[in-house]
Amino acid sequence: MIKQKKSESSIAKIIFSGIQPSGNLNIGNYIGAISQWVEMQKDYDCIFSIVDYHAITVKQNPEILRKRIIEVTKIYLAAGIDPQKSIIFQQSTVPAHTELAWILNCYGTHIADLNKMTQFKDKTGDNKESASVGLYDYPVLMASDILLYGTDVVPVGEDQKQHVELTRDIARRFNGEFGPAFKVPTAVVRKEGARIMSLLDPTKKMSKSDDNQNNCISLLDSPENARKKIMRAVTDSGSDVVYDVENKPALANLLTIYAQLGIRQVNRLERDYAGKGYGDFKKDLADVVVKFLENFQAKYNAISDDEVLEILESGRQRAENIASKKLEEVRKLIGVR
Ligand code: AMP
Ligand code: TRP
């Protein structure tokens, strides 16, 4: 991770990241993204968004979407994002995002770029023709989120790296044509835990849009349900608790979850479980997950909806203030002002 103490420079570097309020946020989102954000608050000026206009690239039920926007904000807060330090806001409340996305659609993004995006290909499979144009264009809205704030660093899970690469290309192209309007950002992916895998199929990412919720541990799962899911998680052949992604991918994934939520290094876990089998290991992992969820949910439940609305409104104002200036600069550069 790129570290920079605020005290060592007059202007702290800027972090931007976001999560869509779709599906149930799970421990993959926490380990791969949110827990990293919490640490970064110490050293950077951070902006974290609830990216609701990304969520509607696939159909959402309006009632559920409204509820999830509040839910995701509470998850940020319960995880330790501090609204006094960091900006927390809802993407759709700052219209500059969609406006800049339109401009970048026209200047900076080629159809060939979007045709390369693996997430779009994976999500649509054989149904590309009936996917929404929004789903196809989604990375340009993400570029606009990032570029509006002069972002230096974008902390994300592995699957989002390609979208940040595209953001860099768009920024460079735009700057090449109109002058240095945008800072070119860098993606930061954590070394361990950047890709937490499904509990029942270690070749698949643990995904909040998975139809089978036994693949995932949601941050709001009841602790006892989570325990059952861990006990039912697949393991590999053999019985030694060793970290070996090639030959024991399921166990490697469980070791990563244990290390991240239990705050113990993987090699320490290997030593602690030498001579013990998978059974003991899974039982203890279940305890670690249960303890983590109990603690997390106690914080989550203590936050009221009113508190969330206040935080989002204050975040909106702070975000709007930065974004509207950058957008106006861009409007001038392209000649509409
Ligand atoms: P998504 O759930 O796709 O909206 O992702 C929200 C954030 O969580 C992004 O930064 C993802 O890269 C990260 N993320 C999602 N799923 C995982 C996972 N299974 N392991 C690690 N990070 C993840
Ligand atoms: N596309 C990201 C995801 O699905 C969410 C996202 C939207 C995002 N805008 C962003 C992440 C800007 C980082 C920066 O996970």
Side-chain angles (χ1 to χ4, degrees):
M1 193 191 297
I2 306 162
K3 278 244 167 182
Q4 183 207 31
K5 275 258 174 304
K6 269 189 189 173
S7 55
E8 286 167 10
S9 93
S10 51
I11 306 167
K13 291 208 168 180
I14 296 170
I15 297 278
F16 187 101
S17 199
I19 295 185
Q20 305 177 52
S22 58
N24 298 317
L25 264 64
N26 60 46
I27 56 170
N29 298 118
Y30 177 81
I31 296 171
I34 306 172
S35 68
Q36 194 182 188
W37 305 354
V38 173
E39 289 165 28
M40 289 176 140
Q41 292 183 108
K42 289 188 227 115
D43 302 304
Y44 298 90
D45 282 344
C46 298
I47 306 167
F48 301 117
S49 187
I50 295 96
V51 288
D52 48 357
Y53 274 163
H54 275 103
I56 63 161
T57 55
V58 297
K59 259 204 179 62
Q60 302 292 333
N61 170 311
E63 280 313 310
I64 298 176
L65 179 60
R66 205 169 286 124
K67 224 182 72 206
R68 284 217 170 109
I69 291 165
I70 305 286
E71 199 175 279
V72 174
T73 312
K74 286 188 187 175
I75 285 174
Y76 287 5
L77 296 167
I81 304 295
D82 177 356
Q84 303 296 333
K85 276 198 205 132
S86 304
I87 299 179
I88 303 175
F89 79 105
Q90 184 185 339
Q91 182 192 38
S92 68
T93 66
V94 180
H97 290 245
T98 41
E99 189 172 335
L100 181 62
W102 179 254
I103 297 172
L104 298 177
N105 273 332
C106 301
Y107 291 127
T109 318
H110 300 165
I111 287 179
D113 299 326
L114 295 182
N115 285 344
K116 281 189 215 137
M117 295 296 113
T118 52
Q119 189 173 68
F120 178 77
K121 291 191 219 168
D122 293 349
K123 275 196 179 168
T124 52
D126 294 332
N127 302 316
K128 285 190 187 39
E129 299 296 312
S130 57
S132 75
V133 175
L135 188 62
Y136 181 66
D137 198 34
Y138 162 127
V140 182
L141 180 58
M142 178 160 164
S144 144
D145 297 340
I146 296 167
L147 297 178
L148 274 173
Y149 296 90
T151 304
D152 295 281
V153 178
V154 187
V156 279
E158 184 71 38
D159 59 332
Q160 295 299 320
K161 254 171 87 177
Q162 194 185 29
H163 294 155
V164 180
E165 284 302 316
L166 173 64
T167 303
R168 292 165 61 84
D169 291 342
I170 293 175
R172 286 200 200 99
R173 277 194 205 122
F174 189 96
N175 291 348
E177 194 158 346
F178 297 102
F182 298 124
K183 209 179 261 176
V184 179
T186 314
V188 170
V189 174
R190 42 168 8 127
K191 276 207 201 78
E192 283 130 25
R195 198 169 156 81
I196 300 296
M197 308 310 280
S198 147
L199 295 177
L200 299 178
D201 177 358
T203 63
K204 260 181 29 189
K205 173 184 110 147
M206 183 182 285
S207 163
K208 64 179 154 52
S209 49
D210 201 315
D211 291 334
N212 181 358
Q213 284 293 313
N214 284 327
N215 280 315
C216 319
I217 293 182
S218 155
L219 289 168
L220 303 179
D221 267 347
S222 79
E224 281 323 303
N225 195 18
R227 181 187 298 282
K228 282 191 204 129
K229 289 184 188 178
I230 292 287
M231 296 316 287
R232 280 197 299 248
V234 295
T235 40
D236 312 275
S237 54
S239 62
D240 292 340
V241 179
V242 286
Y243 186 85
D244 178 351
V245 181
E246 282 283 291
N247 299 309
K248 297 189 173 204
L251 186 67
N253 188 44
L254 296 180
L255 273 162
T256 303
I257 295 172
Y258 196 142
Q260 294 295 322
L261 298 185
I263 313 178
R264 244 202 272 182
Q265 301 213 325
V266 167
N267 54 16
R268 163 89 198 278
L269 288 170
E270 285 177 327
R271 264 184 276 132
D272 292 349
Y273 286 92
K276 298 182 188 167
Y278 292 163
D280 284 337
F281 170 77
K282 277 171 90 176
K283 219 162 108 305
D284 292 350
L285 170 60
D287 286 341
V288 164
V289 171
V290 162
K291 204 167 138 216
F292 168 80
L293 290 180
E294 282 172 352
N295 193 333
F296 182 87
Q297 290 171 12
K299 292 186 195 141
Y300 179 97
N301 290 327
I303 306 163
S304 72
D305 289 8
D306 284 348
E307 224 175 305
V308 166
L309 294 176
E310 245 175 65
I311 287 168
L312 288 178
E313 174 52 22
S314 139
R316 181 195 69 75
Q317 289 174 18
R318 292 165 70 192
E320 170 79 34
N321 194 22
I322 305 170
S324 59
K325 290 193 183 107
K326 179 55 77 183
L327 181 62
E328 188 58 15
E329 183 189 328
V330 170
R331 289 192 193 111
K332 285 185 181 147
L333 285 171
I334 65 168
V336 297
R337 292 289 185 284

